[in-house]
Structures are given as structure tokens and as C-alpha cells.
Amino acid sequence: ELKGKAFLLHFVGHGSKDGIHILNFSEENLVSWKELAGLICQFPEKVQQQLLLNLSCCFGLNVIKVLNYLNDETVFFGALGSNREITPQEAKKLNTKFYKKMLNGQTVNRIIDNINQEFGEDLFYGITSFGYRTIMSAVGNQHTARTTEP
């Protein structure tokens, strides 16, 4: 039984809007968001529904794009990351604060707000899979309505 349990998968590396760059024996490879989607799907379903992805890399919030390649909206609960380039120092400081606050019992939403206040800018974001799908559905419906109007 996994009720009340949460799982966090943390990636550290170089990121881009297209994927995350992984160093493999001194060779850097891009793992696209589509490829990462395939890997996450291999996790047990009960874990997936309670999985939060934290990407400590430039444009890490783009990991939410894995949902564009999947039909199941519960592959992971949500994602945390930045929407811009970040320095290794920023990533280290941000995650040190994140994990300390989490261990002190703060909610993820409150942690994100506190970290952004401490940095003095909106650097760290979080979105749920359900929230992303809802936004994309609304955007798609608006686009469809605009293109089908006489």
C-alpha cells in the first residue's frame, strides 16, 4: 500500500527546451522529453501517480512536455523546475532550500513561493500533470474555435 507516500525523482544536468543532457562515460547525450516519457512509463503505476519530478537544470520545467507524448494523464503527479537558464550555484542553492523546507514539513506550493521570494524573482515553478493537461486542453479548444469560425 502506497497511500500517503510520495516519490521524488531528481535530475541534475544540463537542460534545454528539447530535453535533458546526460553525461555517459564522457559522452553527452540528449534524452528528449519523448524518450524520458518512455522511461517514466516503466515505473509501476502506483508509483507514477505519486511521483514528483524535480529537474535541476536549465529549462527543467519543460519536463512537463513528456505529457504531450502520453495518453495517460497520471504518469506522474507533477514537475518542478525553472523556465530559464540557471547556474550550478543557483541550482544548488535552490535545491538546498527546497529539501530543507520539505524536511521541515512545508508544502510544495509554499516552498516554491518562499524560494522565489528569497531569490527575489520567479525562478522555481511547479505544475501538476492535471493542471498542464487542463491548460493544454483549453488552449487547444481556443485554437480549434478560432480556426473553425466562419
Side-chain angles (χ1 to χ4, degrees):
E1 170 106 6
L2 298 176
K3 189 173 183 176
K5 304 267 189 222
F7 301 92
L8 188 81
L9 184 57
H10 188 134
F11 290 93
V12 177
H14 297 290
S16 70
K17 293 180 180 180
D18 299 317
I20 186 166
H21 300 263
I22 306 245
L23 190 61
N24 182 15
F25 300 109
S26 76
E27 182 180 319
E28 189 174 302
N29 296 306
L30 174 70
V31 176
S32 71
W33 300 126
K34 184 175 184 177
E35 291 172 299
L36 187 60
L39 296 171
I40 292 171
C41 284
Q42 295 177 32
F43 291 178
E45 187 176 336
K46 288 183 178 182
V47 171
Q48 291 175 4
Q49 296 170 4
Q50 295 164 298
L51 179 64
L52 184 62
L53 304 176
N54 183 2
L55 274 82
S56 293
C57 61
C58 298
F59 303 102
L61 191 59
N62 282 280
V63 72
I64 200 73
K65 290 179 181 178
V66 303
L67 295 173
N68 295 338
Y69 306 103
L70 304 170
N71 294 327
D72 183 0
E73 64 187 49
T74 60
V75 171
F76 59 90
F77 175 76
L80 303 170
S82 182
N83 68 342
R84 67 163 175 85
E85 291 183 4
I86 60 173
T87 66
Q89 296 80 9
E90 286 175 317
K92 181 179 178 182
K93 183 178 177 183
L94 183 153
N95 282 291
T96 299
K97 291 178 180 295
F98 175 77
Y99 288 109
K100 282 183 179 179
K101 291 174 185 298
M102 182 177 271
L103 289 172
N104 285 331
Q106 287 189 25
T107 65
V108 172
N109 287 340
R110 185 178 189 135
I111 293 170
I112 291 169
D113 289 343
N114 288 342
I115 287 174
N116 288 334
Q117 286 176 0
E118 291 173 24
F119 272 88
E121 65 175 303
D122 289 338
L123 169 67
F124 194 46
Y125 295 88
I127 188 167
T128 64
S129 295
F130 178 78
Y132 180 77
R133 290 225 186 250
T134 302
I135 291 167
M136 295 309 290
S137 176
V139 168
N141 289 339
Q142 288 176 355
H143 177 72
T144 302
R146 275 186 254 136
T147 57
T148 57
E149 288 178 3

